[in-house]
Amino acid sequence: MTQTIFEKSARGRCAHAQVPKTNPNAAFDLPAHQFRKRALTLPELSELQVVRHFTKLSRRNFSIDTHFYPLGSCTMKYNPRGVHTLAMQDAILSQHPLSPVESSQAWMRCLFELQNMLSEITGMPGVSLMPMAGAQGEFAGVAMIRAYHQSRGDFERNEMLVPDAAHGTNPASAVQCGFVIKEIPTEKNGNLNLNALKAAISEKTAGIMLTNPSTLGVFETDILKISEWIHQAGGLLYYDGANFNALVGRVRSIDMGFDVMHLNLHKTFATPHGGGGPGSGPVTVCEKLIPFLPAPRVIEVGGQYQWLTEKECPQTIGRLAGFYGNSGILLRAYFYMKLLGREGIQRISRYATLNANYLLKRLSDAGFEAAFPDRLASHEFILTIKNSAKSFGVTALDVAKRLLDYGFHAPTMYFPLLVPECLLIEPTETEDKQTLDQFIEAMISILKEQETRPELLKNAPHTLPVRRLDEVKAARELQVAD
Amino acid sequence: MPFIPHTQEDEQQMLQVLGVSKIEELFKEIPTELASPELKNLPSGMTEMELTRWVRELFCKKSMLNFIGAGAYEHHIPAAVWEIAGRGEWMTAYTPYQAEASQGSLQLIYEYQSMMTRLLSMDVSNASLYDGATALAEAVLMAVRLSKKNQARVVLAPKNLHPHYREVLKTITGQQNIHCEEIQFNDKGQVDQFDLIQKITPEVAAMIIPQPNFFGVIDDVHALTRIAKERGILSIAVVNPIAMAMLSPPGEWDETGVDIACGEGQPLGIPLSFGGPYFGFLSCKKEHVRQLPGRLVGRTQDLEGRCGFVLTLQAREQHIRRGKATSNICTNQGLMVTAASIYLSLLGGTGLSKVAQACFENSHACFHALKNISGMRPYFASPFFHEQTWKFEADLPPILNRLQNLGIQAGIHLGEYDPQFKNVLLLCVTETKTTEDIKRLADALNTILQELL
């Protein structure tokens, strides 16, 4: 490793240009016990040292800008630089969230138009931009489902149906809203098990949380039947929009029967993942859930943009953020959609799907095993290497780590949990054919290596700043700060 | 279209490999009746040049002298912060699940955790949460899980806590039948200790202690922490991170400190940006770490004994524990933490203390510049940090409008949050304000009030 910033620190050093001028003789009218007693020991470095330290650290990361990053379910597509540069203008950044609405019209217009665009794409008339990540969107959606049932005096519906393939956030969010989880198993072809679903539906069913295409990378072809059954039973359908890149501009959520959904702007709408956030998870809802949307949201009255607050929406589930959510991320998604326009948005799913199926076909032909060989890929697909595991003792983890040596970020591994030794691969639409072909070559080499030199995989990576790291030691000794 | 690289030839070759003639054939599993209508309300695409011009014209505005605080603060952000945080290696990396390919992000988060524990004088900091308000909500959920009392489902939240934070608490904790009981404040704007003690019943798990509070008032946090300890409830601090470079940090309140400390990280190098993205920080005593939600980075070794960093205690999190996780939180605010770490490193302990001192000096200079203007008087007579409250003898909203027309955003009208504060202004001054700025505000207020009264 490189030294930590604390090891580079020297007492008394400082980035002088950054320190404001203060009065050396200032007397502070505060009781002594209110002051910090011990000196604050943050790193002490020159500005150059700081710049160099964090520039060097950055080079120890894989990123979309430096590497192909086929991380399934995460949609690591190109994050346009122009969008970022525009969102970082001073006139945009200097706007205080509590500025009077008269001076916030430009910002509010962008948010309002983004609401409309998301509404158009999903076919859902109500939108709240407030949730700050997919998981918070889920929380908002599930809380709205609960509020809807309760508003009808329907207090017995305490069960949320969740497929066993769902993202971990789905059950976690539902539990946070006080629901009991009923897990629904999956069929061999990747679709939901309809018999099990039928048996699970009851007068206690509040709703179901689905991802489509599912986390198994295939389209849930029974979706219309599922939505009919759930609706007949009085439940609502929650749509986890994590995989919306497969359908954006092609299928509207409302037409699949969904009542409420979240969109991951950091996936489908190309806002930066930032090394783990900020995300952004706006929710869109059907007509009957509009009264429950988180507040505030933007409306337009006679050409002026205004906030619709809790006062005007007494049934709202409430506020989810200190201000309006991750506004700067919302702005980036809006700019991205302005660049793409209608045609551009409709092309996303086409090329994301072409790239995924091309990879799936070439890798299957080369000898990798598809988890669902009879199905088309959506924007992503799953390989299982369970047979290699049996024959050569090589795991999905080993393949993933070896790919890093070849200069590719690893696919998502061991998710979904129900496919053994799996790799979930999502190329996105912004990757060119040469890059895909290079990735295929690397995978084919690894396939050979697992027979001829399996230790190369088991001990991978070999070329990165560190070798495999001891996670058990980290948890046992738990050193989490210097 | 703008970012899809396929040439016609690429497309033909790929389709040939797939044995289909058109891309549409790859969608044959999707029932045709699901095909989207035309999406007429989406606009046509633009080039980057067109979009740039459009955005610049839309956001062209005269610059404002800003005295609004209330949870989001204008500070100087060193150029190096976003020059470096804007590097693609930071911006376009995913969560560091593949540790070997993410040592940059992991070491940075480890350093961030270290800096935050030092600033707050706490044992453990997580890798951040969405924002200050949600960090507090997670702190409350954590405290209820930690409470040794059965049936403890009440958390005491003083009314001088930011009203938005109180709303977020209600939204999030209300879903789990946790009740936030309000504590009154006294005529100094500080927590009413008498009311607090009365409300500590066996159902109470924890109390929230803001410092400074929504009114900018500095409270007797040592006494409040002592009350919590003596009555066997957990203490949760909500603090402004810049103020902690000068004021007693929560880990030292009443000597042994609070159980959990959280707050809004925006002041540490994050632009106002109309309310986000910001980040929330959350820290706790070591014995509480297993109930701490969110990501956490730990130090370890690789196969060759070299030091490295990994995400640790992941068994608390949703992707492993699913419905039994400590929280549904998946993302942190990685990019904002990157900026904050660079900010804190540039300032260092001394620099950050100077920023805090400059804020304090300027806000008090402003106080003295305004105190002799007739038609307004200080509302809470208490020590304060950034913010100060002023009661106006005239109707405040038209005064704020006139100031706005003069290019001054003088603060927020507290009457909008609570009718008892009709015509009370909450005004904030940070290190960015000069003597001239303060004089401009004072002169404008003087002129307007003289005309009105």
Side-chain angles (χ1 to χ4, degrees):
Chain A
M1 74 160 197
T2 63
Q3 286 181 308
T4 67
I5 195 144
F6 296 99
E7 289 163 328
K8 294 176 182 172
S9 169
R11 227 169 142 189
R13 199 178 284 145
C14 179
H16 293 283
Q18 307 306 338
V19 180
K21 291 173 185 152
T22 50
N23 176 5
N25 304 316
F28 302 107
D29 186 18
L30 268 184
H33 70 266
Q34 292 288 12
F35 286 96
R36 196 176 175 105
K37 281 199 196 105
R38 277 170 283 176
L40 175 57
T41 55
L42 293 178
E44 296 178 86
L45 296 94
S46 70
E47 187 160 329
L48 171 60
Q49 283 182 299
V50 174
V51 166
R52 202 174 273 163
H53 176 75
F54 288 104
T55 302
K56 273 189 181 170
L57 274 192
S58 77
R59 294 167 68 179
R60 295 160 72 90
N61 268 0
F62 279 36
S63 67
I64 302 171
D65 281 8
T66 53
H67 296 81
F68 177 42
Y69 216 123
L71 196 62
S73 218
C74 299
T75 313
M76 302 298 279
K77 66 169 80 174
Y78 173 58
N79 305 154
R81 279 277 155 183
V83 164
H84 174 68
T85 301
L86 278 177
M88 292 298 279
Q89 287 179 78
D90 190 55
I92 289 176
L93 294 183
S94 63
Q95 188 77 19
H96 193 286
L98 299 178
S99 297
V101 286
E102 301 79 45
S103 73
S104 308
Q105 289 292 301
W107 258 103
M108 293 175 79
R109 174 177 173 182
C110 294
L111 298 182
F112 180 76
E113 289 179 2
L114 176 62
Q115 287 175 183
N116 288 347
M117 286 172 165
L118 298 181
S119 170
E120 178 78 0
I121 284 173
T122 59
M124 295 183 167
V127 183
S128 164
L129 301 175
M130 200 174 230
M132 291 177 283
Q136 215 193 18
E138 289 176 21
F139 175 89
V142 176
M144 284 189 271
I145 290 175
R146 189 179 181 204
Y148 166 78
H149 289 310
Q150 294 190 346
S151 75
R152 294 156 47 95
D154 199 347
F155 294 98
E156 301 304 310
R157 293 183 185 273
N158 68 341
E159 289 179 357
M160 188 59 73
L161 311 183
V162 180
D164 56 2
H167 293 110
T169 47
N170 290 184
S173 300
V175 166
Q176 279 222 320
C177 291
F179 285 108
V180 175
I181 307 301
K182 281 197 120 176
E183 200 169 83
I184 312 296
T186 304
E187 288 281 359
K188 275 210 171 63
N189 67 0
N191 279 353
L192 204 61
N193 182 322
L194 291 185
N195 289 332
L197 175 66
K198 197 159 212 173
I201 296 175
S202 74
E203 67 284 355
K204 288 187 149 185
T205 302
I208 187 168
M209 300 180 81
L210 288 176
T211 311
N212 201 16
S214 73
T215 62
L216 301 167
V218 294
F219 189 82
E220 178 57 70
T221 49
D222 294 320
I223 181 63
L224 290 174
K225 196 179 284 176
I226 295 168
S227 77
E228 191 190 326
W229 289 358
I230 297 287
H231 284 145
Q232 270 171 4
L236 297 179
L237 274 83
Y238 184 87
Y239 185 16
D240 174 341
N243 288 346
F244 202 55
N245 213 48
L247 299 180
V248 56
R250 166 171 300 272
V251 175
R252 299 189 311 171
S253 323
I254 197 104
D255 297 328
M256 290 189 278
F258 288 106
D259 300 289
V260 44
M261 77 175 295
H262 80 263
L263 291 148
N264 297 95
L265 300 187
H266 48 289
K267 296 180 183 176
T268 317
F269 300 100
T271 68
H273 282 75
S280 185
V283 282
T284 64
V285 297
C286 66
E287 197 77 40
K288 63 186 171 211
L289 290 177
I290 289 177
F292 308 102
L293 278 168
R297 54 187 208 272
V298 189
I299 52 166
E300 187 199 350
V301 182
Q304 286 290 306
Y305 299 97
Q306 297 177 6
W307 292 113
L308 196 65
T309 68
E310 202 151 1
K311 282 179 207 141
E312 294 88 33
C313 314
Q315 288 183 291
T316 173
I317 60 160
R319 178 182 274 281
L320 287 168
F323 297 102
Y324 316 121
N326 283 336
S327 322
I329 302 302
L330 298 168
L331 202 60
R332 284 170 173 79
Y334 172 67
F335 292 162
Y336 173 73
M337 287 168 87
K338 296 275 282 184
L339 281 176
L340 262 60
R342 184 191 311 121
E343 300 82 5
I345 288 169
Q346 287 170 331
R347 273 192 202 97
I348 293 174
S349 63
R350 214 175 294 162
Y351 287 90
T353 303
L354 175 64
N355 278 359
N357 278 285
Y358 176 72
L359 277 187
L360 171 60
K361 177 75 166 75
R362 295 260 338 251
L363 291 171
S364 304
D365 288 350
F368 283 97
E369 186 180 344
F372 302 100
D374 302 330
R375 302 290 304 265
L376 283 165
S378 59
H379 65 312
E380 63 185 355
F381 60 93
I382 300 179
L383 300 179
T384 170
I385 64 151
K386 61 175 194 281
N387 289 329
S388 310
K390 252 181 245 158
S391 315
F392 313 110
V394 164
T395 64
L397 179 77
D398 300 331
V399 174
K401 297 296 184 197
R402 186 63 183 145
L403 264 173
L404 303 178
D405 281 331
Y406 281 91
F408 296 102
H409 194 278
T412 299
M413 49 189 198
Y414 301 103
F415 179 82
L417 304 165
L418 49 144
V419 181
E421 297 299 335
C422 71
L423 295 168
L424 177 58
I425 300 175
E426 177 182 7
T428 83
E429 73 278 12
T430 58
E431 293 300 331
D432 58 90
K433 181 170 174 293
Q434 281 109 311
T435 303
L436 300 180
D437 288 340
Q438 287 160 5
F439 176 73
I440 292 161
E441 291 307 313
M443 288 290 279
I444 292 172
S445 295
I446 292 172
L447 199 61
K448 287 182 192 143
E449 285 171 358
Q450 71 176 13
E451 284 184 52
T452 54
R453 301 180 63 194
E455 71 286 351
L456 262 185
L457 276 68
K458 287 178 199 169
N459 295 322
H462 304 272
T463 57
L464 295 186
V466 290
R467 302 282 303 280
R468 253 185 239 194
L469 290 153
D470 187 346
E471 296 193 0
V472 175
K473 179 182 165 72
R476 196 178 54 226
E477 296 178 6
L478 205 62
Q479 191 181 345
V480 292
D482 276 353
Chain B
M1 177 64 175
F3 309 109
I4 291 173
H6 300 64
T7 64
Q8 274 191 351
E9 198 185 337
D10 289 338
E11 191 173 320
Q12 283 313 314
Q13 286 176 359
M14 292 167 85
L15 290 173
Q16 213 163 16
V17 167
L18 290 167
V20 297
S21 58
K22 288 195 310 248
I23 293 181
E24 285 309 308
E25 292 176 46
L26 302 174
F27 293 95
K28 66 179 185 210
E29 291 184 11
I30 301 178
T32 47
E33 67 259 44
L34 288 179
S36 171
E38 206 194 334
L39 305 179
K40 283 194 264 290
N41 293 321
L42 292 181
S44 302
M46 295 169 109
T47 62
E48 187 178 297
M49 180 174 80
E50 290 166 335
L51 180 66
T52 302
R53 173 139 189 189
W54 185 84
V55 172
R56 294 224 159 140
E57 284 171 8
L58 178 65
F59 280 89
C60 155
K61 59 163 194 176
K62 62 174 180 181
S63 75
M64 283 278 168
L65 191 56
N66 170 38
F67 290 94
I68 307 175
Y73 299 92
E74 181 187 288
H75 289 287
H76 170 67
I77 302 174
V81 170
W82 284 95
E83 282 289 323
I84 305 298
R87 284 177 67 92
E89 295 94 329
W90 295 125
M91 276 219 302
T92 71
Y94 190 69
T95 304
Y97 289 126
Q98 287 291 343
E100 299 85 352
S102 316
Q103 282 300 296
S105 288
L106 287 162
Q107 182 172 332
L108 180 133
I109 294 171
Y110 183 84
E111 292 176 359
Y112 160 81
Q113 290 171 182
S114 305
M115 291 187 226
M116 290 312 287
T117 54
R118 290 162 183 233
L119 180 60
L120 302 167
S121 205
M122 299 292 290
D123 299 330
V124 183
S125 162
N126 78 359
S128 76
L129 295 165
Y130 305 137
D131 71 356
T134 53
L136 177 61
E138 288 291 339
V140 164
L141 296 176
M142 181 180 169
V144 170
R145 289 194 299 270
L146 281 168
S147 177
K148 293 190 178 73
K149 301 191 214 167
N150 293 330
Q151 312 295 323
R153 308 293 289 179
V154 177
V155 171
L156 303 177
K159 282 183 79 177
N160 55 22
L161 175 66
H162 197 303
H164 292 176
Y165 284 39
R166 286 190 278 138
E167 288 175 32
V168 170
L169 273 183
K170 198 174 75 181
T171 308
I172 294 178
T173 62
Q175 294 290 340
Q176 298 192 26
N177 298 321
I178 293 165
H179 173 65
C180 289
E181 175 77 27
E182 287 185 341
I183 303 295
Q184 301 300 321
F185 50 83
N186 58 24
D187 56 3
K188 289 182 155 180
Q190 295 172 325
V191 170
D192 180 340
Q193 296 185 14
F194 182 73
D195 189 46
L196 166 66
I197 289 168
Q198 271 201 328
K199 285 184 174 147
I200 301 180
T201 61
E203 291 75 40
V204 173
M207 69 175 288
I208 298 168
I209 309 174
Q211 179 81 328
N213 66 32
F214 180 57
F215 306 125
V217 168
I218 297 174
D219 212 326
D220 189 353
V221 289
H222 300 288
L224 296 173
T225 308
R226 194 171 317 129
I227 291 172
K229 280 185 206 162
E230 283 169 1
R231 318 255 155 177
I233 60 173
L234 294 154
S235 45
I236 303 169
V238 189
V239 298
N240 178 303
I242 298 275
M244 292 305 106
M246 177 172 158
L247 302 181
S248 174
E252 294 170 18
W253 293 356
D254 190 40
E255 306 294 332
T256 51
V258 298
D259 293 287
I260 303 168
C262 62
E264 174 56 66
Q266 177 273 329
L268 304 175
I270 315 299
L272 290 169
S273 186
F274 207 47
Y278 297 167
F279 73 92
F281 56 86
L282 180 60
S283 64
C284 66
K285 289 188 167 165
K286 191 149 194 180
E287 64 255 39
H288 301 327
V289 67
R290 276 165 212 280
Q291 290 300 338
L292 182 71
R295 292 175 184 149
L296 189 63
V297 171
R299 198 190 259 275
T300 189
Q301 286 180 344
D302 75 353
L303 281 175
E304 293 170 13
R306 281 177 301 199
C307 171
F309 301 91
V310 292
L311 289 171
T312 193
L313 295 192
Q314 293 191 68
R316 300 163 299 128
E317 293 187 70
Q318 50 73 31
H319 63 283
I320 310 278
R321 293 273 284 172
R322 302 178 72 83
K324 294 191 181 71
T326 52
S327 165
N328 71 337
I329 297 271
C330 185
T331 41
N332 55 327
Q333 301 274 104
L335 189 62
M336 306 349 263
V337 161
T338 306
S341 303
I342 301 170
Y343 178 83
L344 287 170
S345 303
L346 283 168
L347 270 301
T350 313
L352 197 70
S353 307
K354 290 263 170 99
V355 172
Q357 189 184 330
C359 291
F360 192 87
E361 283 178 15
N362 288 352
S363 66
H364 286 75
C366 183
F367 180 85
H368 290 294
L370 302 183
K371 74 177 180 202
N372 293 323
I373 298 176
S374 63
M376 58 189 284
R377 60 175 171 80
Y379 188 72
F380 291 122
S382 305
F384 60 91
F385 188 75
H386 284 127
E387 272 120 339
Q388 41 200 290
T389 45
W390 294 91
K391 173 84 176 174
F392 282 69
E393 284 166 29
D395 206 18
L396 183 56
I399 298 173
L400 291 179
N401 271 340
R402 286 189 56 184
L403 288 165
Q404 164 87 16
N405 292 336
L406 296 171
I408 303 173
Q409 295 188 333
I412 60 167
H413 178 205
L414 287 180
E416 284 175 24
Y417 291 91
D418 189 335
Q420 72 167 303
F421 297 121
K422 189 165 160 46
N423 298 332
V424 177
L425 174 71
L426 183 71
L427 177 154
C428 171
V429 187
T430 65
E431 88 282 10
T432 59
K433 296 295 170 290
T434 62
T435 313
E436 292 73 36
D437 295 336
I438 291 167
K439 185 167 185 303
R440 203 176 132 200
L441 171 70
D443 289 349
L445 272 168
N446 205 7
T447 310
I448 294 168
L449 284 168
Q450 269 185 2
E451 276 176 36
L452 284 175
L453 297 168

